[in-house]
Amino acid sequence: MMQSTGPEPALAAGEDPRRYAQILTAVYDATMTGGKSPARPREVIGDSWRRLQTLGIDPELGNPAETQMDVSDLELSRRESGLFDILDDLARGLESVVQDGDNILVVADRHGRVLWRSGSTAVLDRADDLGFVEGANWAEDSVGTNAIGTALVSRRAVQIFSAEHYVRSHHSWTCAGAPIRDPRTGQVLGAIDVSGPAKTVHPTTIALVDAVARLAESQLREIHRSTLDRLRSVAAPMLARLQSPALAVDANGWVAAVESVALRNRILLPEDLATGRFWLPTLGVCDFEPLPGGWLVRPAGPADSSVADSGNTTRIRIDLRNSQKPRIEVRSEVGEWTHEPTPRHAEILYLLATHRQGRTAAQMATDLFGDDGRAITVRAEMSRLRKHLAGIISTQPYRLDEAATVEVITPSDMSRLLPHSSAPAIRAARG
């Protein structure tokens, strides 16, 4: 039988779920014991079972070595998954499926880790019994054939019904899942899943889940377009003043604007990029300067060799006088731009400005929370901040650009420094 290219329901329309579940149980028992099977499993199921048997996964236990994530690791995974901005769209798209209280909605990252789940208390309690909780690993090689893990491996929407699950304790469930791809790269970001008791199986569920995943990808595409538009609005005046070859690109190398350079969609950026001079395969030696959410890239011709020795002229000004609207202003030889940080990010910028040698995640956790054990929470915040200030903030340890000139403007009355902050280091600075 040829594999379908579209969503394939586990149950054909009009088929009796109870009778089909009995057939699947007979197929499962025969396959797992090496006996003669009354039928062949669907191709996507058979492929999954063979993968798991090769790995030696126990169909009675799954992989008991897997552990759950702690709260801080979970929050970091959520922030870095690429799915955070579309969570509401996913929930709205599948609201009709979970509102009856029988099904649970789950969003997992590309590794199969459960990032979010939503459903009635009753169905969540049943999911708890299976370990189907936030932070749990539902990759195929951890818990066997399931709509999350198998969708991630097969890179297609799948529906798993009853004894199609590899681990026997999951046979009382049905689930439908679909992968969500990054429209910029084509890479899988994660999966969306609807699960519930086996009696709730319906052939249309997989089509709905797949459609919501495709809509989520469209939303990600729109978010990316808006991000490039914002970067273009900042960069265009700078490029016009330069009147020399230059590009404005986002943190992933997608081109927002060009000046006197052949138009292209994306350039490959070096790892651990910082302000300075780097070589690119398509453009040669280039000078990089930070922009809000990206980089200004200027190909360096032979006559520009003096630029490398002229020193970094970037000036960073952190203005904390207005507690309601803190600002960071960045100026360089090609122009200037501003960014309004969140209250938490304003705290971080103040700490980095007053500790130019840098702060580790543990030190920053002590500064912000009085608890060096919250380093993961710090890393999540730094990941968000560096999306706006990638060229301004370096890592290991976290620090402001060492070659830049940094100025911090605080209130004349230091007791009014970030007055809403409860961070221990800010409270100490007020004193």
Side-chain angles (χ1 to χ4, degrees):
M1 180 179 69
M2 294 185 63
Q3 184 168 326
S4 171
T5 57
E8 179 186 350
L11 189 70
E15 187 153 13
D16 182 359
R18 287 173 297 182
R19 179 178 176 276
Y20 189 48
Q22 292 172 350
I23 295 173
L24 291 177
T25 299
V27 172
Y28 176 88
D29 289 340
T31 302
M32 298 303 159
T33 59
K36 181 175 177 57
S37 177
R40 294 177 60 185
R42 290 186 295 141
E43 186 171 352
V44 66
I45 303 301
D47 290 345
S48 175
W49 287 358
R50 284 188 289 273
R51 285 193 295 269
L52 295 165
Q53 287 175 326
T54 300
L55 292 172
I57 305 298
D58 188 342
E60 301 297 331
L61 299 175
N63 188 347
E66 288 294 332
T67 58
Q68 295 180 22
M69 306 171 74
D70 62 31
V71 174
S72 56
D73 284 334
L74 175 62
E75 182 61 24
L76 179 61
S77 294
R78 287 169 169 170
R79 297 289 181 180
E80 296 187 338
S81 66
L83 301 171
F84 190 85
D85 292 334
I86 58 170
L87 179 62
D88 289 342
D89 297 292
L90 294 173
R92 282 194 298 269
L94 292 167
E95 183 178 11
S96 62
V97 181
V98 299
Q99 66 183 2
D100 60 6
D102 287 331
N103 291 289
I104 180 176
L105 169 65
V106 173
V107 180
D109 68 12
R110 61 190 178 90
H111 303 295
R113 289 280 185 180
V114 176
L115 300 180
W116 296 276
R117 64 176 196 166
S118 175
S120 69
T121 301
V123 73
L124 290 177
D125 287 344
R126 289 196 294 270
D128 289 346
D129 294 337
L130 290 178
F132 199 18
V133 297
E134 291 176 342
N137 186 352
W138 275 69
E140 195 180 67
D141 60 3
S142 176
V143 296
T145 308
N146 72 94
I148 291 174
T150 305
L152 292 173
V153 172
S154 65
R155 297 175 64 89
R156 56 176 286 200
V158 295
Q159 187 172 33
I160 313 295
F161 173 58
S162 188
E164 291 181 325
H165 289 92
Y166 185 80
V167 176
R168 190 181 298 274
S169 60
H170 301 169
H171 288 187
S172 61
W173 284 74
T174 183
C175 51
I180 300 174
R181 296 173 180 84
D182 187 335
R184 302 169 300 177
T185 65
Q187 298 297 312
V188 172
L189 294 173
I192 184 171
D193 165 85
V194 170
S195 295
K199 66 180 180 180
T200 65
V201 65
H202 197 284
T204 62
T205 303
I206 185 174
L208 178 59
V209 170
D210 188 51
V212 170
R214 303 292 77 76
L215 288 172
E217 292 172 358
S218 296
Q219 182 65 13
L220 286 171
R221 190 176 295 110
E222 183 58 34
I223 290 172
H224 180 230
R225 185 179 297 112
S226 298
T227 300
L228 289 181
D229 287 343
R230 288 194 297 271
L231 178 57
R232 186 178 300 113
S233 68
V234 173
M238 295 184 179
L239 296 181
R241 285 195 299 269
L242 278 175
Q243 296 184 341
S244 61
L247 307 87
V249 302
D250 71 6
N252 296 304
W254 290 93
V255 177
V258 299
E259 174 65 33
S260 303
V261 177
L263 185 62
R264 63 202 72 201
N265 291 326
R266 189 182 187 188
I267 60 174
L268 181 64
L269 298 179
E271 294 185 7
D272 301 321
L273 187 57
T275 302
R277 180 162 286 194
F278 293 84
W279 181 84
L280 300 181
T282 56
L283 296 172
V285 176
C286 295
D287 292 309
F288 282 78
E289 296 187 33
L291 292 173
W295 297 92
L296 178 67
V297 184
R298 295 190 291 164
D304 298 329
S305 58
S306 61
V307 176
D309 302 321
S310 63
N312 189 327
T313 58
T314 300
R315 297 187 299 278
I316 301 171
R317 187 184 194 206
I318 301 169
D319 189 343
L320 303 178
R321 289 173 295 182
N322 184 342
S323 63
Q324 301 300 319
K325 293 187 66 174
R327 291 163 61 89
I328 176 171
E329 303 172 359
V330 180
R331 299 180 182 181
S332 70
E333 62 184 31
V334 297
E336 62 182 73
W337 51 270
T338 63
H339 172 69
E340 294 185 4
T342 66
R344 176 67 74 200
H345 291 171
E347 295 171 345
I348 292 173
L349 288 169
Y350 175 79
L351 294 171
L352 294 179
T354 54
H355 295 84
R356 291 301 305 276
Q357 76 278 11
R359 303 295 275 171
T360 66
Q363 289 172 328
M364 190 71 77
T366 300
D367 292 338
L368 295 174
F369 309 111
D371 179 3
D372 63 4
R374 297 187 63 179
I376 295 295
T377 304
V378 168
R379 285 195 280 270
E381 287 294 342
M382 295 303 300
S383 176
R384 296 176 63 195
L385 180 56
R386 294 186 75 242
K387 289 181 180 179
H388 299 288
L389 305 175
I392 301 299
I393 299 176
S394 302
T395 60
Q396 297 181 344
Y398 295 118
R399 62 197 186 281
L400 292 173
D401 182 1
E402 295 167 337
T405 299
V406 178
E407 176 187 9
V408 182
I409 304 178
T410 57
S412 56
D413 179 0
M414 280 297 288
S415 68
R416 299 300 300 164
L417 174 67
L418 300 174
H420 302 295
S421 172
S422 60
I426 301 299
R427 292 204 306 267
R430 294 185 192 126

